Amino acid sequence: MNRMRTALRALCVVVGLWSFLCVVASGFLLSSVPLVGAGSLEAAGLVLDAGVAYAAAGTVLLVASVASCCICLFGLRCVRFVRRMDALRALSLVGSALFLAALVACLVIGLLYEIGWMAAVGSALLFASASLAGEVSRALVAARMRTEADNA
């Protein structure tokens, strides 16, 4: 049981660090908005205003990163008190969806190799933490039930 808690704590810390890096990446995207100003870019057959595209991608990535940081803090609390693991799983899946949206936004503006890989890794880590949280919650509930049955 302690190994499962340690693994989930480590995963929350790793995802938290990736979230911080994604905040930095979104800051880069948002700081590039004035540089591209009135330029345009073509993506998926559409001609987009570059400033709007960079601002949208940066904002989506920023929201996903901040949400991920909050999910990680909530996850550390859940692991400590062995409660609300299913809520952690649901929130992690929502965070994964946000990171996938950020990945699509980064693909649209053509920054997959510069920024989008962070969104991809962040999404994968959040999905992994969601899956692990679900498994850990089941295992911890089973262990608690076994302990209560032994004490009775």
Side-chain angles (χ1 to χ4, degrees):
M1 187 157 107
N2 286 333
R3 277 192 232 165
M4 289 182 286
R5 286 172 127 183
T6 304
L8 190 53
R9 276 190 191 117
L11 194 56
C12 285
V13 169
V14 168
V15 174
L17 292 175
W18 271 112
S19 300
F20 178 73
L21 288 175
C22 288
V23 167
V24 172
S26 66
F28 168 74
L29 281 175
L30 291 172
S31 69
S32 296
V33 171
L35 300 177
V36 294
S40 64
L41 56 91
E42 190 171 333
L46 301 171
V47 177
L48 304 170
D49 178 51
V52 172
Y54 273 70
T59 303
V60 171
L61 189 56
L62 181 66
V63 168
S65 303
V66 170
S68 175
C69 283
C70 294
I71 290 168
C72 290
L73 292 175
F74 179 67
L76 289 173
R77 182 177 169 84
C78 288
V79 174
R80 182 176 176 198
F81 296 113
V82 193
R83 288 188 204 151
R84 299 188 179 158
M85 291 296 213
D86 290 330
L88 173 62
R89 185 178 188 201
L91 286 174
S92 295
L93 290 173
V94 169
S96 293
L98 285 173
F99 266 105
L100 288 175
L103 176 61
V104 169
C106 291
L107 277 170
V108 166
I109 64 169
L111 286 180
L112 176 65
Y113 297 109
E114 295 176 20
I115 302 297
W117 65 271
M118 294 185 112
V121 172
S123 178
L125 285 173
L126 267 179
F127 185 77
S129 66
S131 301
L132 185 60
E135 294 306 315
V136 169
S137 67
R138 290 184 194 95
L140 290 177
V141 166
R144 183 171 275 178
M145 289 174 63
R146 194 176 309 130
T147 303
E148 288 174 0
D150 289 343
N151 291 339

